[in-house]
């Protein structure tokens, strides 16, 4: 059973999240009410993932995250806050956070984010693959760094979102990339409008790869997409 440290000063929300994650996610969840208590709990046990509220008494979530990163640079951290400003998100990731969720949020979305992070942590081979910046896709070469798809006689510049989406498909080649994972990784929100936007980007990527019959991006009904390379 995976162990999660949840640090949340809102007692009602904390208990609700703890109960849900233990019941639906089958996690062992340790709940702390402030940053100082959270740091003490972290030093006493080993955790697979941390959820840190940002606005807390005694020690705020960002300070707690900074202190934890001095001890452990690998454990996944999700910051949760009512503040949605880009400066706060930037600070969260600069402090070594792996994800950021803005209150109010759906508990189901938090569970999706947790599972996505743990999946990457549990699969070292996949984690190494995710560091790749260059991929061979049939007759194409995709360079994520330059955002270019190239063949012997042609090249296509991608937008940032197109490049991020194609990279995820490459990492998951010949296996299903779920809509939720793609949306949460790239847009950080799996709402309807972001889903429609992703569909547009997928259509464009399909056009870029259409000249190789051995390459196909298929829809997997009710789940997501699969990049097939024969």
């Amino acid at each position: 059973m995976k162990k999660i440290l949840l640090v949340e000063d809102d007692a009602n929300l904390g208990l609700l999240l703890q109960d849900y994650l233990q019941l639906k996610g089958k996690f062992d969840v340790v709940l702390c009410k402030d940053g100082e208590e959270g740091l003490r709990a972290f030093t006493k046990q080993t955790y697979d993932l941390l959820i840190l509220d940002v606005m807390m008494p005694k020690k705020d979530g960002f300070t707690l995250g900074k202190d934890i990163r001095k001890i452990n640079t690998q454990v996944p951290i999700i910051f949760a806050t009512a503040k949605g400003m880009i400066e706060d998100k930037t600070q969260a990731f600069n402090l070594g956070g792996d994800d950021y969720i803005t209150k109010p949020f759906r508990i189901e979305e938090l569970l999706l984010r947790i599972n996505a992070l743990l999946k990457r942590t549990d699969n070292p081979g996949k984690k190494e693959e995710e560091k790749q910046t260059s991929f061979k896709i049939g007759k194409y070469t995709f360079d994520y760094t330059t955002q270019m798809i190239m063949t012997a006689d042609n090249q296509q510049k991608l937008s940032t979102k197109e490049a991020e989406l194609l990279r995820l498909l490459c990492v998951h080649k010949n296996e299903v990339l779920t809509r939720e994972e793609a949306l949460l990784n790239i847009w950080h929100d799996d709402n309807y409008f972001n889903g429609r936007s992703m569909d547009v980007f997928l259509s464009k990527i399909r056009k870029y790869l259409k000249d190789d019959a051995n390459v196909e991006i298929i829809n997997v009904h009710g789940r997501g997409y699969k990049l097939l390379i024969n």
Side-chain angles (χ1 to χ4, degrees):
M1 182 180 290
K2 298 291 186 181
K3 185 180 287 292
I4 291 177
L5 175 61
L6 169 63
V7 188
E8 169 61 62
D9 70 319
D10 183 325
N12 291 329
L13 177 59
L15 289 172
L16 176 66
L17 292 175
Q18 183 183 40
D19 289 345
Y20 182 88
L21 294 176
Q22 290 183 152
L23 179 64
K24 296 293 186 179
K26 308 300 182 184
F27 299 117
D28 178 10
V29 182
V30 174
L31 174 61
C32 297
K33 64 181 182 297
D34 61 59
E36 290 185 356
E37 183 181 332
L39 185 60
R40 287 195 297 270
F42 180 77
T43 58
K44 292 177 182 177
Q45 299 185 56
T46 299
Y47 294 91
D48 298 287
L49 183 139
L50 315 179
I51 304 169
L52 310 181
D53 181 35
V54 172
M55 304 297 289
M56 293 189 297
K58 297 185 179 180
K59 186 189 292 284
D60 66 85
F62 285 152
T63 302
L64 174 58
K66 186 176 181 180
D67 290 342
I68 285 171
R69 278 291 177 248
K70 294 176 182 177
I71 303 169
N72 186 314
T73 61
Q74 300 300 318
V75 62
I77 297 177
I78 298 176
F79 287 105
T81 179
K83 300 168 68 177
M85 297 176 63
I86 188 64
E87 292 84 358
D88 299 304
K89 295 182 180 181
T90 300
Q91 184 175 1
F93 289 115
N94 285 342
L95 286 171
D98 297 274
D99 206 349
Y100 184 106
I101 191 165
T102 304
K103 296 178 180 178
F105 54 79
R106 290 177 296 158
I107 304 180
E108 296 87 350
E109 180 184 347
L110 176 62
L111 182 57
L112 283 171
R113 292 172 183 259
I114 290 170
N115 286 332
L117 279 174
L118 290 176
K119 181 180 178 182
R120 292 202 296 270
T121 305
D122 288 344
N123 192 335
K126 180 68 71 178
K127 195 170 183 180
E128 284 303 312
E129 192 175 28
E130 287 176 352
K131 295 178 182 178
Q132 284 184 239
T133 58
S134 182
F135 302 88
K136 189 67 177 173
I137 311 173
K139 72 175 186 179
Y140 304 96
T141 298
F142 167 48
D143 189 321
Y144 174 71
T145 304
T146 61
Q147 299 178 197
M148 300 290 293
I149 295 176
M150 296 163 284
T151 62
D153 54 3
N154 191 29
Q155 58 183 23
Q156 172 68 51
K157 178 71 172 179
L158 305 184
S159 69
T160 298
K161 284 287 192 294
E162 289 169 351
E164 290 176 345
L165 184 54
L166 181 54
R167 184 169 182 272
L168 269 183
L169 287 164
C170 289
V171 169
H172 291 80
K173 67 180 178 181
N174 297 323
E175 62 183 48
V176 176
L177 169 66
T178 66
R179 283 181 65 86
E180 292 83 2
E181 182 175 352
L183 287 167
L184 292 177
N185 269 277
I186 300 172
W187 281 267
H188 305 296
D189 193 327
D190 62 344
N191 65 47
Y192 171 81
F193 299 103
N194 287 338
R196 297 295 295 166
S197 177
M198 182 170 69
D199 290 338
V200 172
F201 288 120
L202 273 170
S203 295
K204 291 182 178 179
I205 292 172
R206 285 187 173 107
K207 290 179 181 177
Y208 300 151
L209 303 174
K210 65 181 176 62
D211 290 334
D212 190 337
N214 294 313
V215 177
E216 185 180 11
I217 299 173
I218 65 170
N219 292 339
V220 181
H221 182 68
R223 298 183 63 193
Y225 313 97
K226 184 184 290 189
L227 171 63
L228 296 177
I229 305 175
N230 298 322

